[in-house]
Amino acid sequence: GFGMNLGVILQTGKQSLPIIISTISTSLIIAWLLRKVLNVPSNTSILVGVGSSICGGSAIAATAPVIDADDTEVAQAISVIFFFNVIAAVPVLGNALGFDTTSGNAFGVFAGTAINDTSSVTAAASTWDSMWNLGSETLNTAVTVKLTRTLAIIPITLVLSLVRAKSAAKDGKESGKFSLKRAFPMFILYFIIAAVITTVCMSLGVSADVFAPLKELSKFFIIMAMAAIGLNSNVVKLIKSGGKPILLGASCWVGITVVSLAMQHVMHIW
């Protein structure tokens, strides 16, 4: 947030909005359809679908209490998401697909819309910047797109809460009440505050170099986050728990990737 201004946020977020809506819709539809085909538990299917389409672990954490998911369902969904995070964070795919290496816009939009967890998005974008000496151009684009996409947590958790409350009412229960405070991803608020501070300071003539140390610190935290993802991924346990959630996650990820690329091609970004 300290490396960006609100003008860039509004411009990039607006450009990527059709792609974001398309990829989120695709993932949720795939999760809903394969839940019946693969006979995956409803809560696991919802968590994998939401995690794949919006914001990985953060979306799962926000959605789990809304649908009353238990610890096993949450752990399984997070394991699936983190497993594909590690794969998606490697930007070799972008090079193979022929993304423009002189600008970070195309790969940044792709990373922001096709990779599910924020830490993996930032890792992939930072690596792309380092590979092609683009400074932080790709990272700025990818993070802005990703955080715009993350805002979808709010309407989706609201809808799930209302559906849950309606179902609970039919069963004569009082559970499932929606809490905006519980569902709202606080890092979005921190990002906006940081961006406001940067925008105001730069409009007053403060050099962007002032925020350079904070951006370098953020890269260190990105590395630490990726290490944490690796430590949290238990592939053996995931495979033993059943291949159906993995297949569901893979299908969501492939669907998001294909739709993201197709929309970028239609919009002449890629």
Side-chain angles (χ1 to χ4, degrees), residues 124-139:
S126 296
T127 304
W128 187 265
D129 281 331
S130 299
M131 288 171 59
W132 306 109
N133 299 314
L134 297 174
S136 60
E137 182 182 349
T138 310
L139 179 61

Side-chain angles (χ1 to χ4, degrees), residues 120-205:
S120 297
V121 171
T122 52
S126 296
T127 304
W128 187 265
D129 281 331
S130 299
M131 288 171 59
W132 306 109
N133 299 314
L134 297 174
S136 60
E137 182 182 349
T138 310
L139 179 61
N140 290 344
T141 301
V143 169
T144 304
V145 172
K146 184 67 185 71
L147 294 178
T148 303
R149 173 183 168 195
T150 302
L151 291 173
I153 288 177
I154 303 303
I156 286 179
T157 50
L158 175 60
V159 171
L160 287 172
S161 178
L162 293 175
V163 170
R164 191 76 176 187
K166 184 177 180 180
S167 177
K170 288 183 178 179
D171 297 334
K173 300 177 181 178
E174 295 296 328
S175 60
K177 293 183 178 179
F178 177 75
S179 171
L180 181 61
K181 181 179 179 180
R182 180 179 62 184
F184 189 79
M186 292 304 295
F187 64 86
I188 287 288
L189 178 61
Y190 302 146
F191 172 79
I192 294 173
I193 291 174
V196 168
I197 293 173
T198 303
T199 303
V200 172
C201 289
M202 292 184 69
S203 67
L204 294 175

Side-chain angles (χ1 to χ4, degrees), residues 185-247:
M186 292 304 295
F187 64 86
I188 287 288
L189 178 61
Y190 302 146
F191 172 79
I192 294 173
I193 291 174
V196 168
I197 293 173
T198 303
T199 303
V200 172
C201 289
M202 292 184 69
S203 67
L204 294 175
V206 177
S207 173
D209 295 335
V210 173
F211 300 99
L214 289 172
K215 294 183 72 174
E216 290 301 317
L217 182 62
S218 73
K219 292 181 181 179
F220 169 75
F221 287 139
I222 289 169
I223 295 172
M224 295 298 291
M226 287 305 296
I229 288 175
L231 292 172
N232 278 327
S233 300
N234 189 332
V235 179
V236 175
K237 183 178 179 180
L238 181 60
I239 293 174
K240 286 183 177 179
S241 66
K244 291 181 179 180
I246 299 177
L247 180 57

Side-chain angles (χ1 to χ4, degrees), residues 25 61 100 153:
S25 300
D100 185 8
I153 288 177

Side-chain angles (χ1 to χ4, degrees), residues 4-14 144 195-196 198-200:
M4 309 180 71
N5 62 64
L6 293 177
V8 174
I9 294 173
L10 293 174
Q11 181 179 359
T12 306
K14 182 179 179 180
T144 304
V196 168
T198 303
T199 303
V200 172

